[in-house]
Amino acid sequence: MEIICEEGSRLPDCLVIDDPLASLVELPTSELQGSEGVKANILACLRGGEVTKLGVWGMGGVGKTTIMMHVHNELLKEGKFKKVIWVTVSQNFDIYNLQEQIACSLCSLEEKKLLEYQNTTVRAGMLLKMLKEDKHKPYLLIFDDVWKIFDLNEVGIPGPDVVDGSKLVLTSRSQEVTRSMGCRRLKVETLSQEEALKLFLNKVGDTGLLDHGGGIKNDLESTLKGIVAECDGLPLAIVTVAGSLKEISEPQLWGAALNQLRDCKRNVAGTDDDNAFKILKFSYDRLTNLKIQYCFLYCALYPEDYKILKEEIIENWIDEGFIEDMETRHAMKDEGYDILRKLEDNSLLEVIKDGRKGDCVRMHDLIRDMALDITRMRPRFLVEAGKALKELPERLNCAEGVETVSLMHNYIEEIPSSLAFSTCIRLTTLLLAHNKLSTIPEFVFEHMPELKVLDLSFNLWLSSLPNSVSKLVKLTTLLLESTSLEKVPSLSGLGSLKKLNLRGTKIKEVPEGLGMLKNLKCLFLCGSNPSDILEIDEIADGVLSNLSKLQELIVDNSRIKLKGNVVGRLKKLEVLHGWFPTANEMRIFLKCQPNRLSDYFINVGSNSNVTYTVTAELRRYKKIMVFEETSIVGENMLLPSVQVLCIEACHDIRSLNDFSGIKDATDLRECWIWNCDGMECVLSSWINNPVVQTLEYLLLYNLHKLDGLFEANVRVTSSPPLGAFSSLKVVWIVECKKIKKLFPSWKLAEYLQSLEKIYVYGCDGMEEIIGSDPEEGEEGGDVIKELILPKLKELKLWKLPALKSICSRGAVMVCDSLGSITISNCKGLRKIPLYLPLLDNAQPSPPPSLMIINIYRGEQEWWESLEWDHSNAKEVLQPMVQFY
């Protein structure tokens, strides 16, 4: 079974889950202060026909990116451009990465093919073809943070005049860059004193600064204006300083804050950036906790404008020892999130939502420059991350006293003998991830006696490690994910090691000395994805038993069979991803270690063809169980905290109630049931069953005996409990031939207030989507019943030959959020019972959110024959119909 939940993945018979990234989304923005005039000028240029290339320029921190984000969102709503593409260029960009960003923004299957090519010229040709494909569908391309001139043709960008109405916008600190690239130029000025003060008060919050009339208290006015004046009208500086002063509650402390800020600005060299650095350093200095300062500085090790996954940065802080040891790793991660919150509140990090990666933070490039300036002294960093380097920098030969080196995200292929690393005796952290190393010479680690963290991940061609790794006695973290390593040197001498990551390597046997790592807390010994299975068959019982401090054990996407009694003895275990080959092993594990896990992805049963794809749909969940080809009736083997339950080819299960622990599953959010020949209903009883209240996502596929969501006598003899399925958001039902009604009663349907998507496909017996209550009988009359589904966005019905109605006779569906309807091969359906609001002239109008009605190309005659409650309904809806 493959758990297919990647947006855009395919279900059987080419049933496609829509890719949300293909529909353009707004960018997260902060409130715009004092720049409305510039924004209006930009919009006027982009709406008009005269300007095709626009350059928005101004000093760092003045708000160019924020303004353009507001412009992006406003134009997105207008729909003037077919595509609005945002690309962050940054100081050390390269053509390859620019092309990748554009391709990912375009987000169709054709565009993603570009990512398979390495040659930038070929990629440029493909991009050029795609963007020129329809000359009458204009695009807007925004290049943010451009530092130097580059050739648009080399990237694959056609001149905006080639595609009618298309526009190109650059933002840059340099007027010369915008001029040289042929742009109409618009400068973003600093804020006026009044605008700056308003922004400061808005960001600093309610700290007793204002009197009852809403004005600044007299005794504080001159002090606050002085603080704002020191920020030189730069929005970034104002917001950051305000964030660092939020906690001031005593009036006398404001004067001290002003004096500290002025002290930070003394002896400035004279450039604009120097002034900004001094102001930003004031906010850094107010992070009085040294550990939090180190956590902040660590973020500068990533490339400029890099979106840093929150989970990743917290893991790195733990690896570095910035977060002290606690009773559980979960508590340490909570502490990490608290530190992140403080840095976000102080405006030193920006929160970013990334559809592919998850929750991220990003450092403004000016703040990053300030952080790197600090690390020239102590702690000393050498950072050349994301600079498209092909060779190691010569600076490494002069690295005496440097504690942390970051060369991640480059193209470095080899480590030459001329770089002896003899000056790296104080080095504690070496970050070489995402490069092109294939081998590492023996001498490299011989002069690094203090090394604690070594990250060589995502060097895809790295096939061997030098034996000198075994002598790194202080090493606590060894990260080798997604390399080509088939073997690693002996680990027996690495007694300090706490984390070992071998995910996605070619390792064929358990590393020598693994059982001697008494301090190991995290072990990743697994494949990188379902098609890249780790070939190791087992870990000897004695090896795992010796790892008594283990908190995280990740051995999924592998052939490793877990034993319940061995894993159950790991009393500190909090995270487990892996496979118990039999139900009995799972039961033994639960008896040894009941409900201690805070994060798990556990497969129980046959592993002959099981693959996991933990992608966007499931990534937000931490507690997932998969049962395949195993007997699950009888003694409980369900963890009460389970959030996602997947069942495939378990033929003895008749309903979820056959799980003896289902009534204790108080947080079950998603349920996927596939190919279970005995499955007759989802629930045989809803009495004292929390699933009825918590379930959000239900997918049913190829269940031959399924005749309803509930057992027949439950459907007939009892009413659903109050709020039944009130949390349900998505229903997929595919190839279930026997079921006649999806939601069996009107009373149940009235509780579906969270429902967003209904997908029904290939259910030959399906007659009604929403059935009538038994007591309704044949009653109809003149009364029109309204079923209100306020959040329903998509309704898709395919291959339902017996379908007679979507909801009961004389009823209409009121769906104010409905964006799309798709109907194919439902020839028995005579009516789409959609409520159409009436205008003042008593004529119907379409639901305000409805964008498209998809009808199969061969069914125009069926569309023409549909019945409507209003004579003009079809005419009103016709512009939205697309025959595909």
Side-chain angles (χ1 to χ4, degrees):
M1 176 184 74
E2 183 175 354
I3 301 173
I4 306 176
C5 41
E6 179 73 58
E7 299 293 355
S9 296
R10 293 185 177 268
L11 283 171
D13 286 353
C14 299
L15 199 58
V16 180
I17 303 177
D18 290 338
D19 186 342
L21 297 172
S23 56
L24 296 164
V25 294
E26 292 188 14
L27 299 173
T29 58
S30 54
E31 184 181 351
L32 202 59
Q33 293 281 355
S35 301
E36 290 293 345
V38 178
K39 174 188 165 186
N41 288 337
I42 294 171
L43 285 169
C45 290
L46 297 179
R47 287 169 178 152
E50 183 181 345
V51 178
T52 57
K53 291 198 283 188
L54 183 66
V56 180
W57 71 281
M59 63 185 295
V62 80
K64 303 180 293 296
T65 298
T66 301
I67 294 168
M68 282 311 304
M69 283 181 168
H70 279 268
V71 169
H72 170 282
N73 292 347
E74 195 155 325
L75 291 173
L76 202 59
K77 292 176 184 176
E78 289 180 8
K80 174 180 172 62
F81 298 98
K82 180 191 177 187
K83 296 183 176 75
V84 183
I85 304 166
W86 182 284
V87 179
T88 302
V89 180
S90 299
Q91 190 168 358
N92 302 111
F93 79 94
D94 61 72
I95 298 299
Y96 185 92
N97 284 328
L98 277 189
Q99 292 170 333
E100 190 146 321
Q101 283 195 66
I102 297 169
C104 289
S105 297
L106 292 171
C107 272
S108 77
L109 292 176
E110 186 63 32
E111 280 91 11
K112 288 176 182 175
K113 287 181 182 177
L114 177 143
L115 302 179
E116 300 172 5
Y117 293 88
Q118 298 294 315
N119 186 291
T120 55
T121 304
V122 173
R123 290 157 66 100
M126 293 181 69
L127 268 183
L128 192 66
K129 180 184 176 184
M130 289 183 281
L131 290 171
K132 287 170 62 177
E133 204 164 35
D134 191 337
K135 292 188 177 183
H136 304 293
K137 292 185 178 179
Y139 61 85
L140 171 62
L141 180 56
I142 302 169
F143 281 129
D144 185 44
D145 197 19
V146 179
W147 283 74
K148 58 186 178 183
I149 304 161
F150 62 92
D151 187 347
L152 294 174
N153 289 324
E154 193 177 343
V155 180
I157 307 301
D161 54 323
V162 174
V163 182
D164 294 345
S166 291
K167 309 278 185 179
L168 175 69
V169 183
L170 312 178
T171 74
S172 178
R173 296 188 194 181
S174 167
Q175 182 182 12
E176 177 60 24
V177 167
T178 59
R179 186 195 65 77
S180 298
M181 293 193 69
C183 297
R184 165 82 68 86
R185 297 181 296 286
L186 273 176
K187 184 180 182 182
V188 181
E189 303 284 358
T190 56
L191 300 182
S192 68
Q193 185 176 356
E194 181 182 349
E195 292 167 339
L197 183 60
K198 183 179 178 182
L199 176 59
F200 178 83
L201 293 173
N202 181 44
K203 294 299 180 182
V204 82
D206 183 14
T207 54
L209 302 178
L210 306 181
D211 57 29
H212 293 298
I216 301 173
K217 292 178 179 178
N218 291 332
D219 58 335
L220 292 176
E221 185 170 4
S222 63
T223 302
L224 295 182
K225 286 183 176 178
I227 290 173
V228 171
E230 295 295 333
C231 295
D232 299 328
L234 280 175
L236 176 66
I238 294 165
V239 166
T240 307
V241 169
S244 70
L245 300 176
K246 281 181 179 180
E247 296 180 3
I248 291 184
S249 56
E250 299 176 32
Q252 59 269 30
L253 295 181
W254 286 103
L258 175 58
N259 291 332
Q260 292 166 12
L261 182 54
R262 284 173 173 164
D263 287 343
C264 275
K265 291 189 67 179
R266 287 196 182 115
N267 303 317
V268 175
T271 69
D272 291 334
D273 281 355
D274 285 333
N275 271 312
F277 279 10
K278 296 297 182 181
I279 300 164
L280 297 173
K281 189 172 185 302
F282 166 78
S283 299
Y284 167 79
D285 289 339
R286 291 189 67 84
L287 297 172
T288 52
N289 185 306
L290 189 61
K291 293 287 187 183
I292 296 179
Q293 287 185 341
Y294 281 177
C295 288
F296 164 73
L297 294 175
Y298 190 95
C299 298
L301 297 174
Y302 285 87
E304 183 180 322
D305 291 316
Y306 192 82
K307 295 176 184 177
I308 309 170
L309 192 63
K310 286 186 176 184
E311 287 186 11
E312 178 183 323
I313 194 69
I314 290 170
E315 283 286 341
N316 293 344
W317 290 343
I318 293 173
D319 296 341
E320 293 284 348
F322 299 155
I323 298 174
E324 294 181 2
D325 281 342
M326 299 181 183
E327 182 65 24
T328 66
R329 197 169 185 86
H330 185 74
M332 295 174 74
K333 291 179 181 179
D334 285 345
E335 175 69 15
Y337 278 107
D338 189 52
I339 292 171
L340 268 180
R341 180 190 57 77
K342 290 174 182 175
L343 295 175
E344 292 162 10
D345 286 349
N346 283 15
S347 299
L348 291 169
L349 292 178
E350 174 190 5
V351 180
I352 298 290
K353 294 285 185 182
D354 187 291
R356 291 177 176 82
K357 296 175 72 172
D359 290 342
C360 298
V361 292
R362 183 167 60 191
M363 219 177 210
H364 189 283
D365 53 2
L366 207 56
I367 293 177
R368 182 175 181 269
D369 289 344
M370 178 268 294
L372 292 176
D373 191 59
I374 292 170
T375 61
R376 290 190 177 94
M377 301 299 291
R378 182 166 180 83
R380 286 196 62 190
F381 290 179
L382 190 158
V383 182
E384 298 283 350
K387 292 191 174 182
L389 300 179
K390 295 183 179 179
E391 299 177 350
L392 286 172
E394 288 293 330
R395 292 173 59 196
L396 276 174
N397 274 328
C398 307
E400 188 172 352
V402 170
E403 299 167 42
T404 300
V405 170
S406 175
L407 299 169
M408 64 171 83
H409 291 277
N410 282 299
Y411 303 116
I412 298 168
E413 296 181 0
E414 64 175 348
I415 299 176
S417 57
S418 58
L419 282 174
F421 288 90
S422 57
T423 61
C424 296
I425 56 173
R426 293 186 59 186
L427 191 66
T428 61
T429 299
L430 178 57
L431 307 178
L432 276 163
H434 294 275
N435 275 285
K436 294 188 174 183
L437 294 171
S438 56
T439 59
I440 297 176
E442 187 68 37
F443 63 81
V444 169
F445 302 119
E446 290 177 350
H447 302 289
M448 299 181 186
E450 302 297 320
L451 196 64
K452 294 181 179 178
V453 176
L454 175 59
D455 188 358
L456 297 168
S457 303
F458 295 95
N459 282 276
L460 302 181
W461 294 278
L462 183 62
S463 58
S464 65
L465 288 180
N467 290 325
S468 55
V469 168
S470 301
K471 299 175 183 178
L472 298 173
V473 295
K474 293 188 177 182
L475 198 67
T476 61
T477 302
L478 181 56
L479 307 177
L480 303 169
E481 179 176 354
S482 293
T483 59
S484 295
L485 292 168
E486 295 185 0
K487 187 178 181 180
V488 295
S490 174
L491 304 175
S492 58
L494 305 183
S496 300
L497 202 64
K498 295 181 179 180
K499 178 189 280 189
L500 176 61
N501 190 342
L502 293 167
R503 183 196 299 271
T505 61
K506 308 298 182 184
I507 296 289
K508 298 185 183 301
E509 57 186 34
V510 175
E512 180 186 341
L514 180 63
M516 299 177 69
L517 303 179
K518 304 290 187 181
N519 290 302
L520 196 66
K521 295 184 177 182
C522 302
L523 175 60
F524 298 76
L525 194 58
C526 53
S528 59
N529 59 62
S531 61
D532 184 22
I533 300 295
L534 197 71
E535 295 299 326
I536 296 175
D537 289 323
E538 63 177 352
I539 303 176
D541 295 355
V543 171
L544 271 184
S545 298
N546 283 343
L547 306 179
S548 59
K549 293 185 179 180
L550 208 59
Q551 295 173 322
E552 298 189 3
L553 177 61
I554 311 294
V555 290
D556 56 346
N557 290 329
S558 75
R559 303 189 188 282
I560 297 172
K561 304 178 184 70
L562 295 178
K563 295 182 180 179
N565 60 338
V566 176
V567 181
R569 286 199 293 268
L570 301 173
K571 297 304 181 184
K572 293 185 179 293
L573 198 65
E574 301 172 45
V575 178
L576 175 62
H577 291 201
W579 168 42
F580 289 103
T582 67
N584 190 51
E585 293 291 354
M586 182 66 202
R587 293 188 183 104
I588 292 171
F589 169 72
L590 285 178
K591 288 178 180 178
C592 295
Q593 193 181 90
N595 210 29
R596 283 181 54 90
L597 301 177
S598 60
D599 180 333
Y600 51 85
F601 196 133
I602 298 174
N603 174 254
V604 181
S606 170
N607 201 34
S608 58
N609 62 341
V610 160
T611 56
Y612 307 146
T613 305
V614 188
T615 53
E617 195 62 48
L618 293 182
R619 191 182 290 123
R620 63 188 181 277
Y621 295 118
K622 298 292 187 183
K623 299 168 183 178
I624 303 171
M625 298 190 74
V626 180
F627 294 85
E628 185 191 17
E629 294 184 12
T630 188
S631 174
I632 56 181
V633 176
E635 188 176 351
N636 179 37
M637 54 179 169
L638 194 66
L639 284 158
S641 58
V642 64
Q643 293 175 314
V644 179
L645 176 60
C646 304
I647 308 168
E648 201 266 345
C650 296
H651 303 305
D652 64 339
I653 186 171
R654 198 175 59 86
S655 78
L656 287 182
N657 293 85
D658 289 344
F659 270 107
S660 62
I662 196 68
K663 291 185 178 180
D664 298 318
T666 57
D667 197 28
L668 186 63
R669 312 286 185 83
E670 300 204 3
C671 186
W672 303 58
I673 307 175
W674 298 55
N675 303 323
C676 295
D677 292 346
M679 195 82 178
E680 297 176 2
C681 60
V682 178
L683 294 171
S684 58
S685 170
W686 47 36
I687 298 174
N688 298 322
N689 198 327
V691 174
V692 175
Q693 308 290 341
T694 63
L695 199 64
E696 297 177 2
Y697 195 116
L698 178 63
L699 186 145
L700 308 172
Y701 170 66
N702 197 31
L703 306 176
H704 301 307
K705 292 186 178 180
L706 188 81
D707 67 359
L709 296 184
F710 310 102
E711 197 170 51
N713 67 326
V714 173
R715 298 196 296 267
V716 174
T717 62
S718 64
S719 296
L722 184 65
F725 287 124
S726 58
S727 299
L728 193 64
K729 295 179 181 179
V730 178
V731 176
W732 273 89
I733 179 164
V734 180
E735 301 286 358
C736 297
K737 306 294 186 181
K738 191 176 179 182
I739 187 171
K740 293 184 177 181
K741 297 181 181 181
L742 179 55
F743 299 107
S745 73
W746 186 273
K747 288 180 181 177
L748 176 63
E750 287 180 318
Y751 293 139
L752 302 174
Q753 297 300 290
S754 299
L755 192 62
E756 297 177 4
K757 299 179 181 181
I758 300 174
Y759 300 147
V760 187
Y761 175 85
C763 299
D764 293 351
M766 184 71 71
E767 297 177 358
E768 287 184 291
I769 303 301
I770 297 168
S772 308
D773 289 324
E775 59 268 25
E776 279 188 23
E778 296 298 321
E779 183 183 353
D782 297 327
V783 179
I784 296 178
K785 295 174 66 176
E786 292 184 355
L787 175 61
I788 300 174
L789 299 174
K791 296 184 179 180
L792 188 66
K793 298 175 183 177
E794 292 183 45
L795 174 64
K796 295 191 175 184
L797 309 173
W798 295 273
K799 292 188 177 181
L800 309 176
L803 188 67
K804 298 175 182 177
S805 69
I806 294 175
C807 62
S808 55
R809 288 178 298 279
V812 294
M813 297 166 59
V814 181
C815 308
D816 291 338
S817 301
L818 190 62
S820 71
I821 299 172
T822 300
I823 300 177
S824 173
N825 288 310
C826 301
K827 294 185 178 179
L829 185 65
R830 305 308 312 148
K831 185 176 182 180
I832 301 176
L834 193 62
Y835 173 75
L836 303 180
L838 297 179
L839 302 173
D840 293 339
N841 60 2
Q843 292 300 307
S845 64
S849 58
L850 189 61
M851 301 294 292
I852 191 168
I853 302 174
N854 288 308
I855 306 295
Y856 183 59
R857 185 179 290 118
E859 298 183 335
Q860 290 96 327
E861 185 176 337
W862 169 83
W863 165 257
E864 295 294 335
S865 69
L866 286 177
E867 301 168 3
W868 303 94
D869 290 326
H870 196 286
S871 57
N872 291 340
K874 186 175 69 173
E875 181 181 336
V876 166
L877 295 174
Q878 189 68 45
M880 299 172 187
V881 174
Q882 174 177 300
F883 293 101
Y884 69 95

